[in-house]
Amino acid sequence: MNTKEAFQKVKTLTGYDSKPMPSAITDPLSFAEDLNIFYARFDTTNCSEECKALLETLPIPEPAHPAPFTVEEVRRQLSRCKPGKAPGPDGIQARVLKECAAELAPIMHSLFWESYKTASVPIFWKTSSIIPVPKKPHPSELNHYRPVALTSIPMKCLEKLVMNILHPVVRPHLDPNQFAYRVKRGTEDAVACLLHSLLQHLEASRNFARLLFIDFSSAFNNIQRHQMIQKLHHFDVPPLLIHWVHSFLSDRPQTVRVGTTTSSITITNTGAPQGCVLSPFLFTLYTNDCGLELQKGSER
């Protein structure tokens, strides 16, 4: 028996690889409705007037001519769709987009360009179907269920194209100490950088260091549209792209699905769903001004 097989046997004997079993749900519809309200609990402030006032201060956005992405770029995004990925509420399968990428590319390019140049995201592309996934083997409260949003796969392709436009604009403003949600960066890089800075600082006598760790609860759900507009404007993002991002974050319908039971529709204007391509990147921009400032001296 090799090492891998031995480890698998140990996991089986100890029950380590057993799948979490959610608590019994007696009324799926009531449970789905409760979760839907719980996941939308941050949407308590109507910032529409603030957003409107901020958008009016921006220069009138000019339509993009030509389109900032080509038919070939759209085809590549469609061809990269993972066939096994669950479809969104629109029911469009990733396998269809992948296998028919060449035929669908001109059509999808026209739709994507229309959305981008009018700074308007269609409602059915913003609709989310949330699947609650237990965080622990025996969940006992609503907060023990992680909201994983299933969104339109064509919309994910458009989000990737938009991120390719947005990223070069904001790259000069990004914090070099930001490791999450960045290409070729991860937890190991953050730990290595932290240890290097600490050990280098502690080489001097009588130096010490203090560490502060903060955990954001429901991070993506806390994104406020009016603050996002201000931050994008501060990053010199073109007005047309700011209007598009505002439309992306506004009036998002969501439902919660438990088995075959689906809750009623809730319209949210706060946050970005877990499952959208742009959500991690927008959250990075949203918290980018939480930078590190050190005072010179022996104590830091």
Side-chain angles (χ1 to χ4, degrees), residues 2-105:
N2 57 34
T3 305
K4 182 178 179 181
E5 291 178 350
F7 185 61
Q8 291 293 338
K9 293 292 185 181
V10 171
K11 288 200 300 181
T12 302
L13 291 173
T14 59
Y16 178 80
D17 60 349
S18 60
K19 296 182 179 180
M21 296 297 294
S23 303
I25 300 172
T26 57
D27 188 349
L29 180 58
S30 178
F31 180 66
E33 295 289 355
D34 291 342
L35 277 175
N36 200 16
I37 296 173
F38 179 73
Y39 291 148
R41 66 190 184 280
F42 299 101
D43 194 23
T44 57
T45 305
N46 189 347
C47 302
S48 298
E49 293 300 323
E50 291 90 337
C51 293
K52 181 179 179 181
L54 288 169
L55 292 173
E56 288 177 350
T57 63
L58 301 176
I60 300 176
E62 297 182 359
H65 292 289
F69 39 79
T70 64
V71 175
E72 175 59 21
E73 289 176 312
V74 174
R75 186 200 66 77
R76 284 201 298 267
Q77 292 297 340
L78 296 177
S79 64
R80 291 170 183 167
C81 292
K82 298 180 180 179
K85 196 168 187 65
D90 57 10
I92 299 178
Q93 299 284 339
R95 184 179 298 276
V96 174
L97 298 176
K98 181 179 179 66
E99 295 183 357
C100 303
E103 293 79 7
L104 292 175

Side-chain angles (χ1 to χ4, degrees), residues 251-273:
D251 300 322
R252 299 191 64 96
Q254 72 173 37
T255 59
V256 173
R257 193 174 74 203
V258 179
T260 58
T261 304
T262 303
S263 71
S264 58
I265 297 175
T266 297
I267 306 297
T268 62
N269 285 284
T270 301

Side-chain angles (χ1 to χ4, degrees), residues 63-189:
H65 292 289
F69 39 79
T70 64
V71 175
E72 175 59 21
E73 289 176 312
V74 174
R75 186 200 66 77
R76 284 201 298 267
Q77 292 297 340
L78 296 177
S79 64
R80 291 170 183 167
C81 292
K82 298 180 180 179
K85 196 168 187 65
D90 57 10
I92 299 178
Q93 299 284 339
R95 184 179 298 276
V96 174
L97 298 176
K98 181 179 179 66
E99 295 183 357
C100 303
E103 293 79 7
L104 292 175
I107 300 172
M108 301 307 296
H109 178 270
S110 178
L111 295 174
F112 291 168
W113 185 19
E114 186 67 24
S115 170
Y116 184 82
K117 70 181 181 180
T118 60
S120 176
V121 180
I123 288 293
F124 63 90
W125 280 357
K126 295 190 289 186
T127 303
S128 303
S129 178
I130 299 177
I131 308 299
V133 178
K135 299 179 183 179
K136 51 176 58 180
H138 301 287
S140 58
E141 58 184 60
L142 298 180
N143 198 36
H144 291 167
Y145 291 88
R146 180 176 290 106
V148 177
L150 299 181
T151 57
S152 170
I153 296 179
M155 181 60 193
K156 291 181 186 292
C157 296
L158 176 56
E159 289 178 62
K160 292 177 182 177
L161 294 169
V162 170
M163 190 160 65
N164 291 339
I165 302 169
L166 180 61
H167 188 266
V169 177
V170 302
R171 185 187 296 125
H173 304 281
L174 295 177
D175 188 344
N177 292 312
Q178 170 67 33
F179 294 94
Y181 314 126
R182 297 189 67 176
V183 179
K184 297 181 180 180
R185 287 195 176 192
T187 306
E188 295 83 359
D189 302 288

